[in-house]
Amino acid sequence: MPAKTGKQYIERVDNAQANIWIDGKRVEGKISEHPAFKGVMKTQAELYDLQHDPDKKDYMTYVSPTTGERVGTSFIQPKTKEDLVTRRKMMQEWAKYNGGMMGRSPDYINVGMMAYGSASEMFGKQDSIYAENMTNYYEYCRENDLSLTHTLIQPQVNRGVNSAQLPDPFIAARIKEKTSEGVVIKGARLLATQGGITDEIMVFPSTLLKQSAEENPYAFAFSIPNNTPGLKFICRESFDYGKSHFDHPLGSRFEEMDTIVVFDDVVVPWNRVFALGDVNVCNQAYNESNAVVHMTHQVVSKNIAKTEFVLGILQLMAETINIGQYQHIQEKISEVIIALETMKAYVVAAEANAKVDRWGIMTPEFAPLNVARHYFPKIYPRFTEIMQLMGASGLMAIPSESDFNSDIRPDLDKYLQSATGDAYNRVKLYRLAWDVCISSFGSRQTLYERFFFGDPIRMASTLYNGYDKQEYVDRVKEFLDRSEEFAKNS
């Protein structure tokens, strides 16, 4: 099937009947009707429907090279810089729709799958069948518009030892055995966002495994349907508390859910295995395929939309209670403006300096994107701090929609009116700000952005060790030599 509709997305997830647990109970019936998931699934369905908007379909979809059907642009194998710009336009269409508050919208994994599929030869180092599997799977995802969750983190039990040295070697998901049907996986992985509300799960190879034989059983890459026997998703508490869109404007729409993934003797068919039992292949896959570059392109594009959304909220807050003339307010909002223009510059630079990689894919320059993915986790918590400082007590004086529908409405209308409008719309705005910077949903967003790509210290070390600094060192040495020569001749 070509690019799917929202209705098809919901039907497929409902029909899968994946094994999902929340609040100590297994989800029964249609997951799209469960209070914890109905809001985000409705939003995700609306994203898919945007692919069929007559005014947007030329950039939201493209013609499949194999079927001639229109498929989602996030799956495109970009061949030109124009393709990258078109893909970004598509990704930002989705991000603007949700205010950048859905960090795992389907395009995130789609661009990664595109990179892996294009670099399928890389997976053939172990066995040519793995390369063939990856090629086929990418095409299957593209032609069926699959939605994917993913997992790559091992449980945090004892960071002082590797997984094989834990009390039970099957705490972290590992290879248990190989059979004629496939490879058997047992153990757990963290942290699958949107776990259970997608079609399938991509089990990414971890990039942090040590080069040793005892780590090889923990090295693998595969993808399976979410309803595969033995596969279980254990949810945290939902931050969609069943409130109205007025009361919880973000949590009621965009609560993606994070899950622990348990593999209880899950059989992964051989045609779904991409890498197996080789730490070296798994550690290199993310970078060698350039999946990291394309996924970062999506993330930075999303974060631009998120920053625009935050800027819009802050400016509207300033206008609503007439504080925009104060310099300390202007200075705070200017911080967000600077961040926005900086993020936009990173993307433009990455696209302008894009080159065709060894796999034949037009790939953005990674350096500016890499810096952007270090920068945003530091600046986003500041956004929420600025919102708290500007909102002050206004973020506490936020009666609910029920209050406005009660006998105390006249009091609210009188005491909560604003310089530019009525109390209802002022509180509606401030509840939105509250859901960004204070609520459970908002706090999770801040934590999520802090660690989006992993440990920031380890990331900084990787940036330092991988960045070519020699040219600048040589320039300084040359300057010092010239200074010495200048002194001699003076």
Side-chain angles (χ1 to χ4, degrees), residues 154-159 166-167 171:
Q154 296 177 341
Q156 297 178 348
V157 177
N158 181 350
R159 291 293 186 90
L166 293 174
I171 291 176

Side-chain angles (χ1 to χ4, degrees), residues 201-427:
I201 180 169
M202 172 66 185
V203 181
F204 271 32
S206 173
T207 59
L208 302 175
L209 296 176
K210 296 178 181 177
Q211 195 71 42
S212 69
E214 70 177 357
E215 289 282 86
N216 282 335
Y218 300 93
F220 40 75
F222 60 83
S223 191
I224 52 177
N226 282 344
N227 61 357
T228 299
L231 182 62
K232 183 189 306 174
F233 298 92
I234 303 175
C235 303
R236 59 161 168 77
E237 174 189 357
S238 175
F239 300 145
D240 180 353
Y241 297 117
K243 300 288 187 176
S244 69
H245 294 335
F246 178 94
D247 290 344
H248 286 196
L250 301 180
S252 64
R253 292 178 171 99
F254 311 132
E255 160 61 318
E256 292 184 283
M257 184 55 68
D258 305 298
T259 64
I260 302 164
V261 186
V262 177
F263 300 86
D264 189 4
D265 290 342
V266 171
V267 178
V268 180
W270 286 115
N271 68 343
R272 288 304 194 90
V273 176
F274 314 127
L276 191 66
D278 189 322
V279 168
N280 188 50
V281 169
C282 288
N283 281 345
Q284 293 178 358
Y286 198 42
N287 290 317
E288 190 174 342
S289 66
N290 283 322
V292 63
V293 183
H294 292 282
M295 295 170 81
T296 305
H297 185 236
Q298 186 275 342
V299 171
V300 178
S301 298
K302 179 269 295 182
N303 287 343
I304 289 171
K306 193 168 192 174
T307 305
E308 291 171 338
F309 188 58
V310 168
L311 176 59
I313 294 172
L314 293 174
Q315 181 59 31
L316 190 54
M317 290 170 69
E319 293 173 2
T320 297
I321 59 172
N322 193 24
I323 57 174
Q325 73 273 22
Y326 299 115
Q327 287 190 318
H328 73 95
I329 295 296
Q330 295 172 1
E331 189 270 341
K332 288 180 175 64
I333 295 179
S334 292
E335 287 187 52
V336 182
I337 295 172
I338 291 167
L340 173 58
E341 292 303 319
T342 300
M343 295 291 290
K344 287 161 65 175
Y346 287 140
V347 167
V348 170
E351 292 172 354
N353 296 323
K355 292 181 174 59
V356 175
D357 68 9
R358 61 182 288 202
W359 314 112
I361 301 301
M362 181 62 72
T363 302
E365 182 182 29
F366 188 42
L369 295 178
N370 197 14
V371 172
R373 70 174 184 155
H374 284 76
Y375 172 66
F376 196 75
K378 290 180 171 61
I379 197 66
Y380 186 77
R382 176 59 178 161
F383 292 172
T384 60
E385 181 183 34
I386 288 171
M387 198 168 288
Q388 290 174 1
L389 293 172
M390 282 182 52
S393 61
L395 294 171
M396 297 299 179
I398 48 172
S400 69
E401 188 171 33
S402 296
D403 291 317
F404 278 98
N405 292 327
S406 73
D407 292 341
I408 61 170
R409 175 69 182 261
D411 287 336
L412 302 181
D413 287 340
K414 179 178 180 179
Y415 300 120
L416 295 179
Q417 62 183 292
S418 73
T420 59
D422 59 42
Y424 182 86
N425 284 296
R426 178 221 167 117
V427 173

Side-chain angles (χ1 to χ4, degrees), residues 23-310:
D23 295 329
K25 299 176 183 177
R26 181 170 178 173
V27 175
E28 304 288 349
K30 294 181 177 180
I31 189 172
S32 65
E33 296 177 359
H34 189 283
F37 306 102
K38 65 180 181 181
V40 68
M41 287 190 66
K42 181 177 185 296
T43 298
Q44 194 126 286
E46 291 167 353
L47 297 184
Y48 280 115
D49 282 338
L50 287 174
Q51 297 183 133
H52 300 276
D53 185 324
D55 296 329
K56 298 180 173 67
K57 73 173 186 177
D58 286 344
Y59 60 90
M60 297 300 292
T61 61
Y62 73 107
V63 176
S64 165
T66 56
T67 65
E69 300 272 16
R70 297 200 72 87
V71 293
T73 299
S74 56
F75 289 108
I76 195 171
Q77 292 174 300
K79 302 297 183 182
T80 66
K81 293 179 181 180
E82 289 73 23
D83 287 342
L84 290 176
V85 172
T86 299
R87 185 178 72 177
R88 170 167 53 85
K89 186 177 180 181
M90 172 264 147
M91 295 186 298
Q92 290 186 323
E93 187 73 38
W94 274 2
K96 289 176 182 178
Y97 191 82
N98 57 53
M101 294 291 169
M102 289 178 66
R104 288 293 187 263
S105 54
D107 48 326
Y108 176 69
I109 302 299
N110 292 355
V111 298
M113 282 309 311
M114 178 283 298
Y116 281 134
S118 303
S120 58
E121 175 189 326
M122 172 190 69
F123 294 96
K125 294 175 183 176
Q126 283 186 276
D127 190 317
S128 61
I129 191 63
Y130 296 152
E132 183 180 338
N133 288 349
M134 182 56 82
T135 297
N136 292 339
Y137 186 67
Y138 159 63
E139 292 191 6
Y140 177 73
C141 290
R142 182 187 68 206
E143 300 305 325
N144 291 277
D145 205 0
L146 245 58
S147 58
L148 295 164
T149 183
H150 79 291
T151 178
L152 73 163
I153 304 171
Q154 296 177 341
Q156 297 178 348
V157 177
N158 181 350
R159 291 293 186 90
V161 299
N162 64 35
S163 295
Q165 296 169 330
L166 293 174
D168 183 339
F170 289 99
I171 291 176
R174 63 172 282 164
I175 300 165
K176 182 178 180 181
E177 61 179 322
K178 302 173 186 177
T179 70
S180 59
E181 294 181 15
V183 58
V184 180
I185 304 294
K186 185 176 180 62
R189 279 280 190 95
L190 310 178
L191 184 64
T193 300
Q194 291 208 16
I197 62 169
T198 61
D199 294 309
E200 302 204 359
I201 180 169
M202 172 66 185
V203 181
F204 271 32
S206 173
T207 59
L208 302 175
L209 296 176
K210 296 178 181 177
Q211 195 71 42
S212 69
E214 70 177 357
E215 289 282 86
N216 282 335
Y218 300 93
F220 40 75
F222 60 83
S223 191
I224 52 177
N226 282 344
N227 61 357
T228 299
L231 182 62
K232 183 189 306 174
F233 298 92
I234 303 175
C235 303
R236 59 161 168 77
E237 174 189 357
S238 175
F239 300 145
D240 180 353
Y241 297 117
K243 300 288 187 176
S244 69
H245 294 335
F246 178 94
D247 290 344
H248 286 196
L250 301 180
S252 64
R253 292 178 171 99
F254 311 132
E255 160 61 318
E256 292 184 283
M257 184 55 68
D258 305 298
T259 64
I260 302 164
V261 186
V262 177
F263 300 86
D264 189 4
D265 290 342
V266 171
V267 178
V268 180
W270 286 115
N271 68 343
R272 288 304 194 90
V273 176
F274 314 127
L276 191 66
D278 189 322
V279 168
N280 188 50
V281 169
C282 288
N283 281 345
Q284 293 178 358
Y286 198 42
N287 290 317
E288 190 174 342
S289 66
N290 283 322
V292 63
V293 183
H294 292 282
M295 295 170 81
T296 305
H297 185 236
Q298 186 275 342
V299 171
V300 178
S301 298
K302 179 269 295 182
N303 287 343
I304 289 171
K306 193 168 192 174
T307 305
E308 291 171 338
F309 188 58
V310 168

